[in-house]
Amino acid sequence: MDVLHSLGAGLLHVLSFEDLPMLLLGLLIGMAVSIMPGLGLVMGVVLALPFTYRMHIEPAIILLTAIYVSGTYAGCFTAILYRIPGEPMDVPLLWDGYSMTQRGEAAKALGWALVAALAGGLISSAVMVALAIPFSNAALRFGPPEYFAAVFFGFTSIAALAGKSFVNAFISLCIGLWIATIGVDQTYSAQRFTFGMPVLMGGLPYVVILVGMYGLGELISRLGRGLPKIEKPPDEQTVGTSFPSLREMWALRATFIRSSILGTILGIVPGAGATITSFISYGIEKQYGKRRDQLGKGIPEGIVAPQIGSTASVAGHMIPLLTLGLPGSGATAVILGAFLLHGVQPGPMLFTSPDSKIVVYSILASLFVGVIGMCLMGFLWIKVVVKVLEIPQAVLVAIVMVFCIVGAYADRNSMNDVWVIVVFGLLGFLFERFRFPIAPMVLGVILGPLAESSFIQTMVSYNNDWTVFLRHPISGSLIGLSIIALAYPAVREILGRKSKADSIVLQPHVGGES
Amino acid sequence: MNRTTFAASMLGALGAATVATPQLARAEDAYPSRPITMIVPWGPGGGSDQVGRAVAQSLQDVLKGTSIPVINVPGADGNDGMVRLVGGDADGYTMVIFIADTFVGNMTSKSAAAWQLSDITPIAMMNTMPFAYYLSKDSPYKDWASFEKAAKTTQMRVAITGYGSAEDIGTKYFASKGGLKLTQVAFAKPGERYAALLGNQVEVMCDPIGNVSHYVEAGQMKPICVWAEKRLGVVPSCPTAHEVGYNVVLEEWRTIAVKAGTDPKKVAFLDRALAAAYKTADFQAFLKSSWSNPDSYLSAKNIPAFFAARRNDVNALIAATH
């Protein structure tokens, strides 16, 4: 009851004059960036971050969360209508979504995507609200070994989920962990890889690295590929949405439930972003769905599963962020940055004081409002929204480039950060060029310091006895899961050789989103 | 608070636009002509962060029109933030909150410190409060005596902010003097440190009293030994270290400093401004609510002597530790 009461109070905050405009703005930004190819939702969150510096914490976080959640939805428009995936997570929507469009069922396909986003968003938000308090209670029992194990699990799962590019993902992760060690170390104040340069002593700011790798890097590779004019399909279809009937939805109930649970749970795992969730949901549908044989030929399951997966992962990601202060993806890392800029450290302590509790519940309530709001906008304004595609690419790239660099500077008013973003922009370009996934590296940079400090705290607390990681129930289970995650690619390889026909496409090119 | 910041910066921008436009030639002379950044070398939510933000707020009120954005640069016992200040320009547009922990850390650092005390110019002492040991409410020990008795035979973990800090030096002294089995565990972020105590990841925590006043008031943490000269009015039942047989008086103190080499006129300006900020009703209310010593303030000219005295205290404590 207390939870519902808090949620109600949060809802009132969200509908206030201060928060609601930010929520709507966030939804619009999220839609715009996820439709434009080359701009991901992480970029949207990153670009909006400097504008939140002067805001109150609540509207700031609500703005960023709204960008995040609607960024997982709007990409379906262009994927289904024009076969242009706005984000990597929209790729699974192409297979069935565009097939339906070719059969002239575009409106129906869009309707399914809307229903899926709504269901995935609401179910996972509800699960998250229910889990927030138990999670934060459990989080208080999270000591250094548990934190280390959770981060370790994140590292292993992101490498494992990279599928065929496991080795590349692992290298990428190690580069990220190495970058995280640059600077004066947190525990013993030793200088590492600073080469005596004062710029490097404080370490490299992860927000700037994020903007460089995801933003600048992608822009540079687009310049390298040339800037094709996006051509709309020859037959200007009537862009609209028609909803599936209740009976049709009932027929897909298994897909709805399966994907919602999968999306939320995968969201909790650090490292499994919306893209990975979307691909896995599709993959699971392909293996266990009732109509798995027809998947890929234009059936609603192929739209519903990935769409639910990616939208549900948002709420899933917010749980470890709010209760443990553990960002599992690029977007949540930026949201964590916004929390810290406002002097609030997310973690179990957030739930102990009434002041911060109302902020948390406002953020949770904003997810419900945001999910409903984005679906309404998608329904009503879809024609306007897809107009974004008509902005000339050259202009768009130039504008975004300026925003990236200004954003890097604005983070700390530091010219050094501008050079940092340039370096990481080039690195991002090279990663893309040589097919190294970016997400593991970024995750290494973000979570590396936490992994290190919690490891050292554990070693000090338990007299250098490393078996404590295995002996504590929570950390032991997480380490066990990590080992399974590491062994999984090898096992799959062996099984895959045995029955190649059954193997499913599970290798997203995890470049644009984490 | 941030709305006020926003309003202040908007006013500042307007003010700068109307006042500065006809006097572009003099723009260099006018100080401050742009926001002054306050670096807090500690994580958000902790005591130094609260003080930094309260100082920024009051200073902003005093300076009418200059905004004082606060940035957290936690890590390496405050060294990361100090390095940030020292690595920047001595232009008077970056301040840092320089505290006892960083001071002691800089004194005790075995490797060459990344910065020297001579690299900074302290301007004002804004807040002082003693350190204390705390137990969580679920602790099996109820006071210092029962904790001390157990610590002679059982290994106890002590949450501190970092190695070489005042808490670390003090705890080493306690361990040596009383023959206590204490293991210091460093939690740089205050939130992690408090969660470690409340979640029973450590048996005891050392922190300045004001940082955790609301946890103490809520009964979640219990101070069992305060490193002050006499008992505190806010927690009268908590004995001093001296009373329980440990000759230690250590205070957390927090000064505002700029990079050494900053124009003396700018330093004098900030000295006056911080004196005024200290006297504002808001800051006085903050001192009261944060359980700080009511007469914390020292001006720029008195700080060097204060530093020298603290240096002697710390050296004496280290000498008394075997």
Side-chain angles (χ1 to χ4, degrees), chain A residues 377-391:
Chain A
M377 282 183 177
F379 179 64
L380 298 171
W381 294 347
I382 182 164
K383 281 183 192 156
V384 186
V385 172
V386 293
K387 284 263 194 294
V388 171
L389 280 181
E390 289 170 20
I391 301 174

Side-chain angles (χ1 to χ4, degrees), chain A residues 18 54-56 140-143 184-189 201 340 343-345 349 412 457 460-462, chain B residues 2-3 5-6 9 44 53 76 79-80 83-84 157 163 183-187 189 194 198-199 201 215:
Chain A
E18 196 185 1
R54 293 257 169 260
M55 287 182 203
H56 192 250
L140 263 183
R141 258 172 275 136
F142 256 59
V184 176
D185 105 85
Q186 281 191 51
T187 316
Y188 297 106
S189 311
M201 281 191 200
L340 297 180
V344 177
Q345 169 76 52
M349 303 317 243
R412 306 187 299 185
Q457 284 161 359
V460 173
S461 299
Y462 298 93
Chain B
N2 287 288
R3 267 167 294 183
T5 315
F6 179 68
S9 66
R53 285 169 198 275
N79 279 310
D80 286 357
V83 164
R84 181 73 58 77
R157 291 165 298 183
Y163 299 111
T183 305
Q184 295 94 313
V185 187
F187 293 89
K189 291 180 190 152
Y194 306 153
L198 296 183
Q201 302 298 327
Y215 293 109

Side-chain angles (χ1 to χ4, degrees), chain A residues 478-496:
Chain A
L478 286 168
I479 297 278
L481 285 173
S482 310
I483 293 167
I484 294 171
L486 278 180
Y488 174 66
V491 174
R492 198 178 52 191
E493 180 97 335
I494 296 160
L495 293 179

Side-chain angles (χ1 to χ4, degrees), chain B residues 10 19 32 35 40 51 58 67 101 187 231 234 245 253 255 271 285:
Chain B
M10 287 305 287
V19 177
V40 173
V51 177
S58 295
S67 68
D101 283 304
F187 293 89
R231 290 193 181 204
V234 281
W253 46 259
T255 60
D271 191 10

Side-chain angles (χ1 to χ4, degrees), chain A residues 14 19-31 62-63 66-67 70 369-370 372-374 376-377 381:
Chain A
V14 174
D19 293 357
L20 194 61
M22 286 303 134
L23 178 72
L24 297 177
L25 184 67
L27 294 177
L28 276 180
I29 297 174
M31 291 198 161
I62 287 176
L63 173 73
I67 296 175
S70 79
V369 182
I372 296 169
M374 79 183 184
L376 274 178
M377 282 183 177
W381 294 347

